[in-house]
Structures are given as structure tokens and as C-alpha cells.
Amino acid sequence: MTQHDNSLSRTALVVVAHHRTDSLTAHTARRAAARLEAAGYRVDLLDLHAEGFDPRMNTSDQPDWGDREKPYSDEAHAHMRRILDADVVVAVFPVYWQSVPALLKGWIDRVWNYGFAYGRSKPRLAGKRMLWLALAGATSDDPVVEGMQAVLETNLSEGIAYYCGFSQSTVGLLTDAEERPQRVDAEGNLLVGEAVSGAEREAQYADFDRRARELVEKFVAEERVGV
């Protein structure tokens, strides 16, 4: 990791929600982590699948629902500490059914628990900032994209981050994440184009990386100016 002479160094928790380490999601998370390090953050990279996180809620996660001081499971407590130690949280995931994958949803269900992330007059996560990097197979000119952005912002920013006291939540929707362009026509038919290759493919993914980098850099810049 790059060393920074910065007494006010910040910590970023980068959460990866994908089952393959060779996926574009994992690649994007690694690049986001590198950009954050370059900006002076200490990065805690949390690969949910690689660390064996179980997304299923269990009774030890909520031994007494009505008691907000209840002891949570050891696994939930360990993840809570990582969130508390972070100034910003960056979640990187593929869009499934205009939402997050079960792996990420289960992490939020189990860890962002009553009494920890919400249910207090002063939320423990108050003042933290959140960036959601959502990878979508839809092409940028697909009419579904506008609605997808709106659904994700409502669900992730309003329904989760702001509800838990985050001071800022940004949803970065990264379209064109598939090798083969795909869209759904007016009759509901999935139209899949030819896979790109060679220089065209390199250009497509270079543009994808550029857009992802710009989202991270803008997010970092907004903290510096106090947005």
C-alpha cells in the first residue's frame, strides 16, 4: 500500500458482492480500492464471498428483537466493527433484478441491524458517506436505465443509507458491463447482440474503467469540499 503523510487519513470499507474473483465486479472493486488508496484512504477490502459470509439471517443475529442493546452474533459484531471503523463505505455489486444480489442484501440484513444501524435517536453510522457502484448489463441507451437508476437510488440511498444516518449516499450505475450488448424490447423479448472482441473490446472496457474511476474520484472530491 502507498504510504501517506497525513494525520487526518481516512478509512474506506470497500465491500465486494460477487462469487467470482475474476469478475468485472471484483476488478472494479480492486480498481476503486486503488483509487481510494491513492487519495490517502486506508482501505479495508471486504470480499463477502471470499470471506465466507453467510447472508442468511439467523436467531443469534437477533436474540431479542425489542432490545436494541442485545448481543448480536460474533460474525455480525465483527462486521459491525469494520463499518464503525470506516469513514466511507463503497459497495461494488452486479445489479440483479434492479436490486443488489442476495449476498449484499444478506450482509445488510444481518449487519445493519436494529439497535446498530437504526433504531436510535442518534444513529451510530451518522455522518458516514456511502458510494454504491452498481454494474448493469444494460446498454447506456436502453430505456430501462433511467428507471433502474431511480429504483436503486430510492432503495439504496433513501431506504438504507439515509435511513441509517449516512450524510451522503451516491449510486453510480455502470452500464455496458456485458461483452454482448443486451436489451429488452417493447414486447419483453431479450435482444442480445454480437460479442465484441479485439480492439473494440479493449476500448469498451477502457471506457468502463474510466467511468468507474470518475465516479470514485468525484466521490472523494465531494468529501474534500464538504458536500
Side-chain angles (χ1 to χ4, degrees):
M1 291 188 178
T2 304
Q3 298 297 315
H4 298 274
D5 183 15
N6 184 356
S7 61
L8 299 178
S9 62
R10 314 284 275 169
T11 297
L13 176 63
V14 179
V15 185
V16 190
H18 201 285
H19 51 282
R20 293 198 332 269
T21 57
D22 63 347
S23 64
L24 184 59
T25 299
H27 164 82
T28 301
R30 289 190 294 267
R31 289 183 66 90
R35 295 307 304 167
L36 289 162
E37 284 187 330
Y41 285 85
R42 184 187 73 83
V43 173
D44 178 7
L45 185 62
L46 169 56
D47 186 327
L48 292 171
H49 186 267
E51 294 194 18
F53 182 79
D54 186 348
R56 297 172 298 177
M57 179 75 80
N58 60 70
T59 54
S60 64
D61 292 326
Q62 294 183 331
D64 182 357
W65 167 253
D67 179 11
R68 69 183 186 185
E69 306 298 336
K70 59 185 173 294
Y72 305 96
S73 65
D74 290 343
E75 186 175 26
H77 265 299
H79 284 266
M80 289 173 181
R81 174 49 54 192
R82 293 171 80 168
I83 297 173
L84 288 174
D85 288 345
D87 300 289
V88 302
V89 180
V90 180
V92 191
F93 60 94
V95 176
Y96 288 173
W97 305 110
Q98 301 210 35
S99 186
V100 299
L103 186 60
L104 181 56
K105 180 59 165 60
W107 182 69
I108 294 169
D109 287 346
R110 290 188 62 199
V111 181
W112 299 39
N113 213 313
Y114 173 73
F116 169 67
Y118 67 99
R120 293 178 176 273
S121 57
K122 183 178 180 180
R124 288 174 171 167
L125 307 184
K128 297 183 184 296
R129 300 169 64 242
M130 184 88 203
L131 173 62
W132 310 84
L133 292 178
L135 284 71
T139 56
S140 58
D141 61 347
D142 191 329
V144 76
V145 170
E146 182 178 355
M148 184 184 297
Q149 178 81 39
V151 168
L152 290 171
E153 288 181 352
T154 299
N155 183 21
L156 304 178
S157 291
E158 296 181 22
I160 298 176
Y162 292 141
Y163 185 72
C164 294
F166 278 71
S167 62
Q168 180 188 354
S169 176
T170 300
V171 176
L173 182 58
L174 292 163
T175 58
D176 299 288
E178 296 285 351
E179 292 181 2
R180 304 176 67 180
Q182 53 185 268
R183 62 188 303 165
V184 176
D185 66 16
E187 286 72 44
N189 301 306
L190 177 63
L191 307 178
V192 181
E194 294 295 325
V196 297
S197 60
E200 184 180 359
R201 179 177 179 179
E202 290 181 8
Q204 176 182 332
Y205 286 108
D207 180 69
F208 185 94
D209 281 343
R210 176 190 59 77
R211 288 184 284 124
R213 182 183 70 249
E214 288 176 352
L215 284 169
V216 175
E217 291 177 347
K218 180 180 179 183
F219 180 75
V220 169
E222 286 172 342
E223 179 176 43
R224 288 173 176 167
V225 298
V227 173

